[in-house]
Amino acid sequence: MNAAPRPAADPHPADDRRPAADPHPATDPLARERAHLAASRAALRAMREDVESLDIRDVTANWVNAEVLQGQIDERIKALADLAHTPLFFGRLDFLHAPGAEQAEGGEGEQFYIGRRHVHDADGDPMVIDWRAPVSQPFYRASKKDPMDVALRRRFGYTGGDLTAYEDEDLTDAAGAEQTSRLLQQEIERPRVGPMRDIVATIQPEQDEIVRGGLAGSVCVQGGPGTGKTAVGLHRVAYLLYAHRERLARTGTLVIGPNRSFLHYIEQVLPALGELEVRQATVDDLVAHVEVRGTDDAAAALVKGDARMAEVLRRALRSHVTPPTEAVVVVRGSRRWRVPAYELDDIVRELLERGMRYGAAREALPQRIAHAVLVQMERSGEAPDDRVQDAVARNAAVKAAVKAIWPQVDPAKLVHRLLSDADFLAAHAEGVLTAEEQKAVLWAKPARTPKSTKWSAADAVLIDEAADLVSRTHSLGHVVLDEAQDLSPMQYRAVGRRCTTGSVTVLGDLAQGTTPWATRSWAEALAHLGKDDAVVEELTAGFRVPRDVIAYASRLLPHIAPGLAPVTSVRENPGAFSVRPVASAADVVAACAEALRHEGSIGLIAADARVPALAEALAEAGMAYLSPGEETTADSRLTLVPASLAKGLEYDYVVLDEPAAVVDGEPDERTGLRRLYVALTRAVSGLTVCHASPLPPQLA
């Protein structure tokens, strides 16, 4: 953060003594900026009214075109909405000279207001520049060492939607010391409760480099708690849509999150930036070929999620191809054309060796047989054309041969047979899975048909793999994959199929992996995605978690992710932090009551097994509480959170019950310590750790 306040223009708080409507606005910078904000909002309102007044009755040929065009107009109106409590612009750049040709809006000494979207006046002149435009880049990257031709950078402070303060940074003073912007620090430390908001006003240089990376390149962002990796991924999508709108409109974009609660938490970020067309889904949504009603134990899920299952499925699918034993005889008129079995076998072998998808090869087989017939026709003096070849490919004898040699395969039925037929699994898992692993994935009591099967989430991923082996999965232009550290190799492959011809932004933290198959290294994960060439970036500056809290949680890093650098909090406020011995659940309830004296939300996080006892203690004390996912209100600010559901959630204040129990609640110590690391880093303003048992030695 490279900003030093100018003494002549210190930040002016919301209750400053300057009048909101100065009778001489030319002499009052804050009044001038408020006037520009009012004029910009009026211009945005006029832009929206222009779209609303469009009459399409005479420009559409039919009702279908009218519906499509009206839908586009409605989306444009939504994109031009003026959010009352969201600042229309948050900064200003004063250039020394005219920007370059690629920034043609500018002139010498011109000022540019940087905001969430472009706003222009009635003459088409810009009043607010989109933060993604090239001319806006110096707002995030300019410094005294490299001012990027900027003379002055101004930041604005808001209360609600009202402009209440400003702060200037003179970038022409190369000898001056770099200082932290007070307004920037206030924005960073603003409580993070409620749905996730954009960080467009506080994007840092290292984040901006990732956000503005090219569409062709894939990137993996390793970031600890509170480093803004999710926000960076979402802003990257918004930037790519701005820079490559036509291409991505054709190929599509997708944001993948770990669960529905997480997607609900982030769903307002892109609309606030004017992007309404980005689809959001979970991995389970992507592979929803069957209804998931069952579960796997850890051993079965671990094997089903292993990338080796892809080879087992490939072998099982190819086993349906039967080498031909009889010739194909095609009758056309008075002539009979015979394709011998050995020639059919050569055709089948060639298709198999090409590595084509099963379905594509099956579609090619009748054309290859027909071509062999046409060669015989030409040798006999006939001159057949493509229509003859197509007719031969549709011949009943050819169809019968294709059905016998290369039958259709249903992906769900293939997986059903693999997991229910021990002999079939053994035949195709030989040399790939051990006998113990085969036993782990076999169903004890298989259903008779796929329709009656209680499929698990891991089974659905296997079916998706099989479906892709049969027919290619549609590829998108760009995919953002968040909380990636908890995906299995087979889930990575499922995501990778959705961006084979596009790029991907992977977001995650190896230290927060809590599944049995948690990612061990990003190189391994990127290989499963099919993006070995992706660049790995690491974010280590923390913006959400208070300094003392993240320092305490980072004691676990050498034990759970020894290769990772600890997060360094950039927040000036160290946050409220305490570790206190307790004698009973009543003492934990008392800690919650103490936390409720502060404003904001409170999270009581505990090992899953201890939740019922704590719920009873809260009830006895007459303290109402919510479950994870329920909205906090003025009367209900306390949420009781099982540790297994804490990932991705945030609370102003957290009371963490019995860290040792959180660790003991997992199948192994490493996973338990990672679960504890997640629980310790959910606090935005303060953390109280309560324990009756000794703390885990790793926290000493």
Side-chain angles (χ1 to χ4, degrees):
M1 299 182 303
N2 305 313
R6 295 177 60 186
D10 284 337
H12 304 293
D15 59 348
D16 63 15
R17 297 182 181 181
R18 296 171 179 243
D22 196 308
H24 304 289
T27 64
D28 184 352
L30 191 60
R32 289 201 304 270
E33 301 297 14
R34 286 170 172 163
H36 186 78
L37 176 60
S40 299
R41 289 197 182 280
L44 179 61
R45 184 167 56 252
M47 291 170 61
R48 189 169 61 253
E49 289 171 351
D50 286 345
V51 179
E52 291 172 339
S53 65
L54 289 175
D55 187 350
I56 63 173
R57 288 175 295 182
D58 297 329
V59 297
T60 54
N62 53 54
W63 69 270
V64 176
N65 291 340
E67 288 287 334
V68 172
L69 184 55
Q70 187 60 54
Q72 293 173 342
I73 290 174
D74 292 342
E75 291 299 317
R76 178 61 176 163
I77 292 171
K78 290 180 184 177
L80 290 172
D82 186 3
L83 306 179
H85 297 290
T86 302
L88 195 55
F89 58 79
F90 47 81
R92 195 186 86 189
L93 292 175
D94 294 1
F95 281 90
L96 287 168
H97 307 95
E102 75 277 7
Q103 300 166 350
E105 300 98 331
E108 185 173 357
E110 191 167 354
Q111 298 175 344
F112 294 88
Y113 287 84
I114 312 302
R116 286 167 171 75
R117 65 195 67 193
H118 176 87
V119 179
H120 60 256
D121 61 17
D123 296 324
D125 294 326
M127 300 188 71
V128 180
I129 300 294
D130 194 302
W131 66 276
R132 299 167 287 187
V135 75
S136 302
Q137 187 172 350
F139 183 79
Y140 302 106
R141 298 198 190 180
S143 65
K144 290 181 181 294
K145 293 181 180 179
D146 181 16
M148 302 177 71
D149 204 46
V150 174
L152 179 140
R153 171 167 50 202
R154 174 168 287 181
R155 299 182 188 276
F156 297 106
Y158 287 83
T159 299
D162 298 326
L163 196 161
T164 56
Y166 70 91
E167 181 182 66
D168 286 344
E169 180 184 2
D170 184 357
L171 297 181
T172 62
D173 180 16
E178 302 280 4
Q179 298 181 24
T180 300
S181 162
R182 288 170 56 191
L183 286 180
L184 181 62
Q185 191 69 34
Q186 290 171 9
E187 176 63 21
I188 287 173
E189 295 190 2
R190 189 155 59 96
R192 301 296 182 99
V193 295
M196 184 179 181
R197 64 177 187 267
D198 65 72
I199 61 165
V200 66
T202 62
I203 293 174
Q204 300 301 292
E206 64 272 17
Q207 295 174 324
D208 190 63
E209 289 185 17
I210 298 171
V211 167
R212 296 179 191 264
L215 177 60
S218 293
V219 63
C220 174
V221 182
Q222 159 63 41
T227 55
K229 56 185 178 295
T230 296
V232 166
L234 295 175
H235 286 68
R236 176 161 165 74
V237 171
Y239 172 78
L240 292 176
L241 285 168
Y242 175 89
H244 308 279
R245 190 166 300 280
E246 291 187 5
R247 178 176 174 182
L248 290 178
R250 296 192 305 269
T251 57
T253 53
L254 174 66
V255 174
I256 302 174
N259 51 58
R260 281 285 153 197
S261 297
F262 178 87
L263 294 178
H264 177 69
Y265 174 63
I266 68 171
E267 66 183 359
Q268 295 304 317
V269 174
L270 289 169
L273 299 173
E275 300 298 342
L276 307 172
E277 298 297 320
V278 180
R279 181 188 167 204
Q280 298 181 357
T282 65
V283 174
D284 290 343
D285 294 332
L286 300 183
V287 300
H289 303 281
V290 293
E291 181 183 359
V292 173
R293 296 183 296 148
T295 57
D296 288 312
D297 58 35
L302 195 61
V303 178
K304 290 179 181 180
D306 194 297
R308 292 174 296 162
M309 287 299 299
E311 173 60 19
V312 176
L313 286 166
R314 189 190 70 84
R315 292 181 182 182
L317 180 62
R318 287 196 165 207
S319 71
H320 290 76
V321 178
T322 304
T325 57
E326 297 181 357
V328 172
V329 179
V330 176
V331 179
R332 284 186 59 82
S334 60
R335 302 293 300 271
R336 294 165 60 89
W337 308 98
R338 184 175 182 274
V339 182
Y342 73 85
E343 190 170 349
L344 292 174
D345 189 61
D346 288 342
I347 293 173
V348 171
R349 287 179 181 275
E350 191 268 338
L351 288 174
L352 287 172
E353 290 171 358
R354 287 189 60 185
M356 300 172 64
R357 280 174 168 75
Y358 187 91
R362 187 178 190 278
E363 293 176 359
L365 180 58
Q367 290 291 335
R368 298 296 177 88
I369 297 174
H371 177 73
V373 172
L374 259 66
V375 170
Q376 295 184 32
M377 290 181 175
E378 291 170 349
R379 288 174 180 169
S380 68
E382 295 189 17
D385 56 18
D386 291 344
R387 290 175 297 178
V388 175
Q389 179 169 330
D390 289 339
V392 172
R394 296 192 299 269
N395 182 274
V398 174
K399 287 183 177 181
V402 170
K403 184 177 181 180
I405 297 170
W406 212 294
Q408 288 185 333
V409 176
D410 178 84
K413 291 180 179 179
L414 176 68
V415 174
H416 180 272
R417 186 179 178 190
L418 264 179
L419 301 181
S420 60
D421 186 334
D423 293 337
F424 187 68
L425 175 62
H428 303 299
E430 183 179 0
V432 179
L433 301 179
T434 66
E436 291 76 12
E437 289 173 328
Q438 293 176 37
K439 183 178 180 181
V441 300
L442 277 170
W443 292 324
K445 296 180 179 180
R448 296 183 62 183
T449 65
K451 287 186 178 181
S452 58
T453 297
K454 290 186 177 181
W455 299 103
S456 69
D459 296 335
V461 178
L462 295 179
I463 294 172
D464 189 71
E465 179 83 26
D468 185 71
L469 289 170
V470 173
S471 180
R472 183 184 298 275
T473 304
H474 173 68
S475 175
L476 299 165
H478 191 77
V479 171
V480 173
L481 174 61
D482 205 351
E483 296 291 349
Q485 73 278 347
D486 278 331
L487 266 61
S488 71
M490 290 298 286
Q491 287 176 316
Y492 277 120
R493 290 176 61 88
V495 174
R497 288 191 282 277
R498 271 75 184 177
C499 55
T500 51
T501 59
S503 55
V504 61
T505 298
V506 180
L507 311 167
D509 180 12
L510 296 178
Q512 295 188 60
T514 52
T515 56
W517 48 82
T519 303
R520 292 173 292 188
S521 74
W522 290 123
E524 181 181 322
L526 293 170
H528 293 312
L529 278 169
K531 302 295 180 183
D532 307 67
D533 57 347
V535 176
V536 179
E537 303 281 359
E538 187 170 4
L539 297 176
T540 58
F543 303 97
R544 174 176 57 80
V545 185
R547 186 172 67 236
D548 287 357
V549 174
I550 195 63
Y552 185 71
S554 294
R555 297 180 183 183
L556 298 176
L557 281 180
H559 308 280
I560 59 177
L564 295 184
V567 172
T568 302
S569 178
V570 300
R571 297 175 58 169
E572 293 181 349
N573 185 346
F577 172 66
S578 65
V579 179
R580 61 178 66 171
V582 296
S584 65
D587 293 335
V588 179
V589 172
C592 294
E594 183 179 326
L596 284 167
R597 297 172 190 167
H598 300 283
E599 294 184 0
S601 59
I602 312 298
L604 170 55
I605 302 178
D608 292 28
R610 289 181 56 82
V611 167
L614 289 172
E616 184 178 348
L618 288 170
E620 289 178 356
M623 294 179 62
Y625 63 90
L626 305 169
S627 299
E630 294 182 332
E631 295 289 339
T632 58
T633 66
D635 298 325
S636 272
R637 297 187 291 122
L638 174 64
T639 303
L640 178 56
V641 187
S644 62
L645 300 180
K647 188 175 297 181
L649 303 179
E650 295 179 346
Y651 300 94
D652 279 320
Y653 291 85
V654 167
V655 176
L656 175 59
D657 169 74
E658 209 61 76
V662 174
V663 177
D664 293 341
E666 299 296 328
D668 59 83
E669 183 182 66
R670 186 184 181 91
T671 303
L673 290 173
R674 287 183 169 182
R675 184 76 70 188
L676 177 58
Y677 182 74
V678 172
L680 287 168
T681 54
R682 300 304 94 198
V684 173
S685 299
L687 169 68
T688 300
V689 178
C690 298
H691 69 100
S693 301
L695 291 171
Q698 294 84 356
L699 284 177

